[in-house]
């Protein structure tokens, strides 16, 4: 069943149970900050703004499941369609949205967690799914940022865990490779990235982070210094059961501390406790997906934050601290 049909069935079921109209029931299940084409003024004066949809997707862990890659591609294409209908210019998806491969299924030593055997990964199936996603992004004229495993380049043995930035013409515009890997990722699975990635849509500057990088404030401080208005954070969620709020609480703090929007995209199995959503520069949830283990998206207008004395002072103080200077502005 496609996401569209499943969503419509859920809306009709709610309307039948509650007596609400279809439109009213839909607003409860597809939560937005406003109708498409409108913006919220409380975040500052008029300036560049982008409608951003953030999604949660089903987790898939079998690296050799060709049918699973196709189903994941179907899911993302449906989310692209829904985001475009809701007026989004950019759709943000979780880490490894097509397949977050199991360390056990990739292990080169049966029964142990050992160096990954990447010949077990269905690279062609992932490429086919990404090709369809790029084509639909172009058809809908929407930017898509999606987590994916990317092939090793040159003589490299290990792949990167990346965020692919696909522009509204369906072209690969940029790629972010996760830099701060967990112990397991670094020991057995992936190569680390080397630098930040920024891109601009309609005058709003976006940065990219992934995995557990939200736990490192310096990553977000660097993006603030580079001029990011919003950081897109894609994750599969924490490895420890019940620790979901460790990531979201860190995201709330980072947004407030650095004065940036943060888009939080997570796999749907974590959604009952901490669903995907957008955090405003004051460190508050602006909008969130429904807290259910199912594909979903929500949408908000993300604005470029105007420069202000407090933000400049914070930036100057941070730079003075890093450089060891004592002449920080007062």
């Amino acid at each position: 069943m496609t996401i569209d049909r499943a969503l419509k069935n859920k809306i009709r079921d709610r309307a039948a149970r509650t007596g609400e109209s279809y439109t009213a029931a839909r607003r409860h299940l597809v939560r937005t900050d406003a109708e498409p084409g409108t913006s919220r003024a409380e975040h500052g004066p008029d300036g560049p703004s982008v409608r951003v949809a953030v999604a949660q997707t089903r987790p898939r862990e079998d690296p050799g499941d060709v049918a699973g890659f196709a189903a994941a591609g179907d899911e993302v294409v449906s989310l692209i369609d829904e985001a475009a209908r809701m007026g989004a210019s950019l759709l943000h998806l979780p880490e490894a949205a097509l397949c977050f491969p199991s360390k056990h299924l990739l292990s080169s030593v049966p029964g142990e967690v050992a160096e990954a055997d990447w010949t077990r990964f269905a690279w062609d199936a992932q490429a086919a799914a990404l090709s369809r996603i790029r084509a639909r992004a172009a058809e809908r004229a929407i930017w898509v940022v999606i987590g994916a495993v990317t092939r090793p380049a040159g003589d490299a043995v290990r792949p990167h865990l990346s965020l692919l930035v696909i522009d509204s013409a369906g072209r690969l515009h940029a790629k972010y490779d996760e830099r701060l890997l967990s112990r397991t990722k670094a020991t057995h699975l992936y190569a680390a990235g080397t630098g930040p990635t920024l891109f601009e849509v309609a005058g709003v500057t976006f940065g990219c982070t992934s995995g557990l990088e939200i736990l490192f404030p310096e990553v977000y401080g660097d993006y603030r210094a580079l001029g990011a208005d919003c950081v897109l954070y894609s994750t599969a969620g924490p490895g420890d059961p019940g620790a979901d709020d460790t990531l979201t609480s860190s995201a709330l703090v980072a947004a407030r501390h650095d004065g940036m929007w943060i888009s939080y995209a997570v796999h749907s199995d974590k959604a009952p406790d901490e669903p995907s959503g957008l955090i405003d520069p004051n460190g508050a949830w602006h909008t969130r997906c429904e807290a259910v283990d199912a594909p979903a998206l929500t949408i908000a207008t993300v604005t470029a934050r105007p420069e202000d004395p407090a933000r400049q002072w914070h930036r100057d103080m941070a730079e003075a601290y890093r450089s060891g200077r004592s002449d920080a502005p007062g």
Side-chain angles (χ1 to χ4, degrees):
M1 180 181 293
T2 67
I3 293 173
D4 288 347
R5 285 179 56 198
L7 176 61
K8 288 174 182 176
N9 288 341
K10 288 172 65 178
I11 294 169
R12 292 190 185 102
D13 179 68
R14 179 184 172 92
R17 287 186 290 103
T18 63
E20 295 170 328
S21 68
Y22 182 91
T23 300
R26 187 182 188 281
R27 287 197 184 104
H28 285 280
L29 296 177
V30 181
R31 296 162 60 183
T32 69
D33 67 325
E35 291 302 312
T38 65
S39 62
R40 297 176 62 127
E42 62 265 37
H43 294 289
D46 292 339
S49 64
V50 174
R51 293 281 286 175
V52 173
V54 56
Q56 57 199 36
T57 55
R58 290 184 182 92
R60 292 175 171 86
E61 295 189 338
D62 187 345
D65 184 5
V66 172
F69 277 101
D74 290 342
E75 185 175 291
V76 173
V77 164
S78 293
L79 287 166
I80 290 171
D81 290 342
E82 183 67 13
R85 280 194 292 270
M86 294 168 68
S89 296
L90 184 152
L91 171 63
H92 174 213
L93 296 145
E95 176 183 15
L98 299 174
C99 177
F100 189 51
S102 164
K103 59 190 176 185
H104 300 286
L105 294 177
L106 280 175
S107 177
S108 58
V109 180
E112 298 181 17
V113 177
E115 184 68 21
D117 176 3
W118 285 101
T119 64
R120 299 179 183 180
F121 192 85
W123 295 107
D124 290 345
Q126 178 181 261
L130 286 171
S131 179
R132 291 181 53 226
I133 289 164
R134 291 174 60 181
R136 189 56 61 91
E139 181 181 337
R140 296 295 191 178
I142 186 172
W143 289 69
V144 175
V145 179
I146 181 171
V149 181
T150 53
R151 281 183 185 268
D155 296 330
V157 175
R158 290 183 175 184
H160 287 109
L161 199 51
S162 306
L163 294 185
L164 305 180
V165 180
I166 299 166
D167 70 16
S168 57
R171 298 169 299 205
L172 181 60
H173 177 83
K175 180 170 77 79
Y176 174 74
D177 299 326
E178 188 177 319
R179 293 174 282 170
L180 301 179
L181 301 172
S182 69
R183 183 177 290 109
T184 298
K185 286 179 179 178
T187 303
H188 303 296
L189 294 158
Y190 303 103
T194 58
T197 293
L198 292 105
F199 65 98
E200 185 178 301
V201 179
V204 178
T205 301
F206 294 88
C208 299
T209 57
S210 181
L212 299 179
E213 291 181 330
I214 195 65
L215 302 177
F216 299 88
E218 49 270 54
V219 172
Y220 292 81
D222 286 347
Y223 272 123
R224 179 199 65 232
L226 290 168
D229 300 302
C230 175
V231 174
L232 306 175
Y233 171 54
S234 296
T235 184
D240 298 327
D244 304 82
D245 61 348
T246 61
L247 303 186
T248 52
S249 61
S250 295
L252 292 164
V253 169
R256 181 173 180 80
H257 183 267
D258 293 308
M260 299 184 299
W261 293 84
I262 291 182
S263 179
Y264 178 87
V266 71
H267 289 176
S268 66
D269 60 330
K270 306 300 192 302
D273 297 310
E274 296 289 350
S276 294
L278 278 147
I279 304 169
D280 71 23
N282 296 313
W285 287 107
H286 188 66
T287 184
R288 302 190 81 176
C289 289
E290 189 179 5
V292 296
D293 186 359
L297 58 79
T298 187
I299 189 170
T301 299
V302 170
T303 55
R305 293 205 80 197
E307 196 56 74
D308 62 74
R311 196 177 185 194
Q312 184 61 49
W313 172 84
H314 193 284
R315 188 156 51 228
D316 290 343
M317 290 292 287
E319 178 58 31
Y321 174 79
R322 284 196 185 99
S323 63
R325 296 198 319 265
S326 59
D327 60 342

